[in-house]
Amino acid sequence: MSVVTIERKVLEKNDAFAAENRRRLAEARLFAINVVSSPGAGKTSLLEHTIQRLDGRLRISVVEGDVQTDLDAQRVARYGAPVVQIVTNGGCHLEAKLVQDALARLDLAATDLLVIENVGNLVCPANYDLGEAMKVVLLSTTEGDDKPLKYPAMFRNASVLVVNKIDLLPYVPCDVDTLVGNARTINPALRVFQVSCTTGAGLDDWCTWLAAQVTALRA
Ligand code: MG
Ligand code: ZN
């Protein structure tokens, strides 16, 4: 029983930091997404393509979560976006306090869109609010169409599902309609984008939608 209590206290503390982050982001009138997925689904690739496509239209800043390295931050920095790396030293999710420290090192007034790339993990990042406007869950076709049913909390707490690697559909045992249907069984309100970071398919729709969110927030 004590384990349950400790876990609840940790989450309550996290929620308090998340609320502060949300207030700070609202003051800066900044749209923030928390991108979650399993390792290798393509979070950083999606980010690279998004930064490139929105260059000159949106000022994007990035918080990179990683268990051990700053490899992803190096990739993102190559495209000119301000990036702060959080290394969790083995920790399997980002927490709101870590994101708060990262925000202090970014110029929020010079940012339109904040992208937080979470640690690759479909389990506990679902429970940790970071202060974002919404969670974006990324699922690649190579992972299989049953994943929304196996990790329901993540799909329930996300507002957007990006299905990546649709170019591989002919080669993998994944039915994209089943995948989307499973996700909408968990969360009927999910907005879905189908993309390939290899061919570029679907990325314009995704970027147009992102830009519209920023515009709506500023209106
Ligand atoms: Mg990555
Ligand atoms: Zn974790």
Side-chain angles (χ1 to χ4, degrees):
M1 292 304 286
S2 60
V3 174
V4 173
T5 307
I6 289 163
E7 172 72 0
R8 207 186 64 208
K9 280 195 174 149
V10 166
L11 287 174
E12 279 172 3
K13 213 172 160 192
N14 182 75
D15 285 347
F17 281 116
E20 279 178 37
N21 291 351
R22 190 164 281 116
R23 208 176 310 125
R24 192 170 299 178
L25 295 168
E27 273 169 19
R29 306 189 74 197
L30 200 167
F31 186 67
I33 58 173
N34 175 3
V35 182
V36 292
S37 80
S38 57
K43 293 185 296 304
T44 312
S45 294
L46 181 69
L47 190 44
E48 288 174 316
H49 286 276
T50 301
I51 293 167
Q52 272 181 294
R53 278 165 194 262
L54 290 172
D55 184 38
R57 286 162 66 195
L58 285 190
R59 297 167 300 172
I60 302 176
S61 293
V62 179
V63 174
E64 275 292 340
D66 200 281
V67 171
Q68 204 63 60
T69 72
D70 67 352
L71 294 174
D72 288 355
Q74 289 178 34
R75 284 172 61 185
V76 167
R78 257 183 249 138
Y79 294 93
V83 53
V84 174
Q85 176 73 55
I86 299 172
V87 176
T88 63
N89 285 315
C92 50
H93 57 268
L94 287 181
E95 295 184 16
K97 176 67 173 76
L98 294 171
V99 171
Q100 189 163 102
D101 296 343
L103 291 182
R105 291 158 60 193
L106 287 169
D107 184 358
L108 300 186
T111 301
D112 302 310
L113 169 67
L114 176 74
V115 180
I116 303 166
E117 181 180 335
N118 216 311
V119 175
N121 175 357
L122 275 179
V123 186
C124 42
N127 300 323
Y128 286 82
D129 183 9
L130 303 179
E132 72 275 358
M134 54 180 73
K135 285 186 174 69
V136 174
V137 60
L138 184 63
L139 186 63
S140 63
T141 58
T142 53
E143 296 169 76
D145 48 35
D146 59 346
K147 291 304 168 291
L149 302 178
K150 297 181 79 168
Y151 302 97
M154 189 61 90
F155 290 83
R156 196 176 301 120
N157 293 344
S159 305
V160 178
L161 164 63
V162 178
V163 182
N164 188 26
K165 308 188 190 178
I166 56 165
D167 55 304
L168 298 181
L169 278 169
Y171 315 107
V172 294
C174 173
D175 183 275
V176 77
D177 293 333
T178 302
L179 186 161
V180 172
N182 285 340
R184 288 207 166 120
T185 302
I186 308 293
N187 181 353
L190 264 182
R191 179 177 287 273
V192 179
F193 295 92
Q194 297 187 25
V195 309
S196 165
C197 291
T198 303
T199 66
L203 291 174
D204 279 339
D205 284 349
W206 157 249
C207 288
T208 300
W209 177 83
L210 264 182
Q213 302 313 300
V214 173
T215 305
L217 187 76
R218 296 272 159 99

